[in-house]
Amino acid sequence: MKNTSKQQNKFGNWIKTSITARMLIVGFLTFVLLIPLFFIEDLIRERSHRQTEVINEINQQWGNEVLIYGPILKVPYKIYKEKTVTDKKTKKVYTETIEEIYNAYFFPENLNINSSLNPEEKKRGIYTTAVYNSKMQITGSFIKPDFSDIEINDKDILWNKAKIIIQSSNVKGVNEANLKLNQASYELTSKYNGQKNYNYNELILHTLETKNINKDQLLFIKPLVFNINFNIKGSEQIRFIPTGRQTEAQITSNWKSANFFGEFLPYNDDKINDDGFNAKWKILDLNRPFSQEHYNGIPDLKEFAFGVNFMIPVDEYQKSERSAKYGFLVIGFTFLIFFLIQTMSKIDIHPFQYLMIGIALTMFYTLLVSISEHSNFLKAYLIAGTSVIVLITLYSKSILKTLKFPLFIGLSLTALYTFIYVIIQLENYALLVGSIGLFLILSIVMFVSRKIDWNNG
């Protein structure tokens, strides 16, 4: 019994005094605290997904993003194919000519888009998105289609069945759609495109088309001039595909934080001012890699669209998630500071006290994400960081019984949280700055730890 008691006392004394034992305990606690960090990251992703769902619901009720493709002149034509047929009774073989009808699609010679947008914010709970009402006038002209590439005779072109087509990603938000061809008015009707199931992120274009165009207007003695008044409600962004041989566009709005994007950007440098923006584009057929006529259906040209984005930049969840990824570094660095202080000053720190400090560090991220939902990220980061730093500094004063060590810990945590905030903001240089910062931290730790007697383990 005495030997057993001596062995227990020896083991207990080793736990209290051994540097190796402390390192093992601190390392174990660090990995244990990865469990709440994992759940916090999962919580941040869940809140981010909820935000996306709510914004999508608002946009679907109001009207999704707008992409305008057109107008396009659709002209049917005949082709003839020969088919060999065998008579079952006489066994004679003869050739039969079959007539098939295909559609050719022609883009306008010139296209002018003038759009005025009136954005506003829509809120549901704590989430906000941008929606808008747009008034646009689309003008331009078509010249006589050239079928020489596929060698179609003029008599086989069904001019009397030609139509004008406009495709839009958002027909739900259309308030007005008037089309005039050489001063003759035509109605645009929605044509079901047969697509039943698709994801929200998959942009589907719906077809609006006229009835058959009056044949007299298709003699093309002069260009076929069109004028379209198109008023539509949308959300987040609006885009156009430059179908004209020469496309000119102008978008005006009182929104001051617009983001221009797409294959083509505005050419005017003074596009944004105190009253909003006035953006202008000019795109020639030489600038785009597609032709003016198409015979195998309407091509998918969404990748060549240009436009403006009104989406309110809400990246608090993304920043919170990025900061949570550094949680292991914060906990490990803080425990390392306490470990070095404990080892060099011979002050006892109980594993439970390490655990309380680690839990306080994980609380930073729950504070950060909850406050950032009601404020901006910087304010949330300052409040959460200050609260945790003050709490750990005061708690460490009761543990370490001195003032200099708690002050050092408070300053170290302040520097660490500042360093992480800088990394989060520097997207392009995050890896470079992070690597340099970690190298400096490692250098300081190596310099300080050289005075520790590691043989006492």
Side-chain angles (χ1 to χ4, degrees):
M1 293 292 292
K2 290 183 178 180
N3 290 334
T4 304
S5 178
K6 286 181 179 180
Q7 289 177 355
Q8 290 177 348
N9 291 333
K10 186 177 180 181
F11 179 75
N13 186 58
W14 179 78
I15 291 291
K16 290 180 180 180
T17 60
S18 172
I19 296 177
T20 303
R22 291 175 196 161
M23 290 180 62
L24 291 174
I25 293 172
V26 171
F28 174 74
L29 290 175
T30 302
F31 281 101
V32 167
L33 289 168
L34 289 179
I35 298 173
L37 273 178
F38 171 79
F39 285 108
I40 289 171
E41 288 187 35
D42 190 59
L43 172 65
I44 295 172
R45 285 191 291 267
E46 180 184 338
R47 300 295 291 177
S48 179
H49 291 157
R50 175 57 182 161
Q51 178 195 44
T52 303
E53 289 175 359
V54 171
I55 290 176
N56 288 347
E57 288 175 7
I58 297 173
N59 294 346
Q60 287 174 347
Q61 292 172 2
W62 176 269
N64 293 323
E65 73 159 285
V66 174
L67 172 63
I68 302 298
Y69 186 0
I72 303 167
L73 179 61
K74 171 185 171 183
V75 183
Y77 63 94
K78 298 178 183 178
I79 65 170
Y80 302 94
K81 294 182 179 179
E82 292 187 349
K83 181 180 179 181
T84 302
V85 180
T86 303
D87 192 304
K88 292 182 179 180
K89 293 181 179 180
T90 63
K91 304 299 182 182
K92 290 184 177 180
V93 179
Y94 58 93
T95 300
E96 185 179 79
T97 301
I98 299 175
E99 179 183 288
E100 294 183 357
I101 296 178
Y102 289 83
N103 293 311
Y105 301 91
F106 298 91
F107 293 161
E109 186 68 11
N110 55 76
L111 176 66
N112 300 289
I113 302 167
N114 195 322
S115 181
S116 175
L117 305 179
N118 183 23
E120 59 181 282
E121 293 184 3
K122 287 286 183 183
K123 293 186 177 181
R124 179 177 295 177
I126 61 175
Y127 304 114
T128 305
T129 187
V131 299
Y132 58 83
N133 282 293
S134 67
K135 293 184 178 180
M136 62 184 77
Q137 186 176 36
I138 303 173
T139 60
S141 63
F142 291 96
I143 60 173
K144 185 175 181 178
D146 183 5
F147 284 83
S148 61
D149 287 348
I150 55 174
E151 299 178 352
I152 299 296
N153 294 324
D154 195 66
K155 64 181 180 62
D156 294 324
I157 301 173
L158 305 179
W159 296 108
N160 60 328
K161 294 186 178 181
K163 298 180 180 181
I164 294 291
I165 289 176
I166 298 176
Q167 290 193 332
S168 173
S169 60
N170 180 4
V171 292
K172 180 179 179 179
V174 176
N175 296 322
E176 181 183 357
N178 298 324
L179 169 64
K180 287 186 177 181
L181 295 174
N182 291 343
Q183 302 304 315
S185 297
Y186 289 84
E187 291 185 359
L188 288 166
T189 57
S190 182
K191 181 181 179 183
Y192 178 60
N193 56 15
Q195 290 156 316
K196 295 181 180 179
N197 300 317
Y198 55 90
N199 298 325
Y200 176 79
N201 293 329
E202 182 182 357
L203 190 64
I204 300 298
L205 293 179
H206 305 275
T207 300
L208 302 172
E209 68 178 21
T210 65
K211 295 181 180 179
N212 296 341
I213 300 173
N214 189 325
K215 185 178 179 181
D216 293 337
Q217 296 186 14
L218 293 173
L219 296 176
F220 289 101
I221 299 172
K222 58 181 181 179
L224 180 64
V225 178
F226 59 84
N227 190 320
I228 305 169
N229 289 318
F230 211 60
N231 297 343
I232 188 170
K233 295 193 301 182
S235 58
E236 296 185 357
Q237 61 188 23
I238 186 169
R239 293 186 288 163
F240 301 93
I241 295 176
T243 55
R245 192 179 298 276
Q246 176 175 300
T247 300
E248 294 189 53
Q250 181 176 13
I251 303 178
T252 58
S253 175
N254 58 0
W255 193 264
K256 298 178 182 179
S257 58
N259 175 34
F260 304 101
F261 71 103
E263 187 70 11
F264 306 96
L265 297 177
Y267 67 81
N268 56 321
D269 296 330
D270 58 343
K271 49 186 172 290
I272 300 178
N273 51 54
D274 295 336
D275 299 323
F277 69 85
N278 182 1
K280 300 177 182 179
W281 289 262
K282 185 175 182 179
I283 304 160
L284 304 178
D285 61 336
L286 297 174
N287 307 137
R288 2 142 288 196
F290 55 87
S291 64
Q292 290 296 106
E293 57 277 331
H294 302 272
Y295 303 99
N296 297 315
I298 302 176
D300 184 359
L301 301 177
K302 292 192 287 286
E303 62 179 303
F304 303 107
F306 64 91
V308 60
N309 191 322
F310 300 96
M311 189 173 180
I312 298 171
V314 182
D315 57 353
E316 277 76 10
Y317 291 118
Q318 183 181 0
K319 289 181 178 179
S320 297
E321 186 174 2
R322 290 179 62 191
S323 64
K325 292 184 184 298
Y326 294 98
F328 179 77
L329 171 66
V330 175
I331 293 172
F333 178 72
T334 306
F335 280 4
L336 179 61
I337 292 175
F338 277 92
F339 172 78
L340 292 175
I341 291 173
Q342 179 184 7
T343 304
M344 297 176 67
S345 63
K346 308 300 181 181
I347 299 174
D348 288 333
I349 302 177
H350 196 274
F352 179 80
Q353 293 170 323
Y354 274 104
L355 183 62
M356 289 297 98
I357 293 167
I359 293 174
L361 292 171
T362 59
M363 284 297 298
F364 166 80
Y365 302 102
T366 56
L367 286 172
L368 177 63
V369 68
S370 59
I371 297 172
S372 65
E373 288 183 335
H374 303 275
S375 181
N376 61 61
F377 182 79
L378 175 59
K379 188 181 293 184
Y381 197 92
L382 287 173
I383 294 173
T386 303
S387 302
V388 171
I389 291 170
V390 171
L391 177 63
I392 292 177
T393 302
L394 294 177
Y395 186 66
S396 63
K397 185 177 184 301
S398 65
I399 298 173
L400 304 174
K401 308 299 183 181
T402 61
L403 186 60
K404 62 177 182 178
F405 288 141
L407 286 176
F408 174 73
I409 291 169
L411 290 174
S412 299
L413 285 174
T414 301
L416 182 60
Y417 280 121
T418 303
F419 171 65
I420 292 174
Y421 182 81
V422 171
I423 291 177
I424 293 172
Q425 302 302 314
L426 297 175
E427 293 185 3
N428 295 331
Y429 298 97
L431 181 60
L432 175 63
V433 175
S435 300
I436 294 173
L438 291 175
F439 179 80
L440 293 176
I441 291 173
L442 177 62
S443 302
I444 294 171
V445 171
M446 291 175 67
F447 178 78
V448 173
S449 63
R450 80 191 194 282
K451 297 181 178 180
I452 298 175
D453 182 10
W454 298 103
N455 295 318
N456 181 24

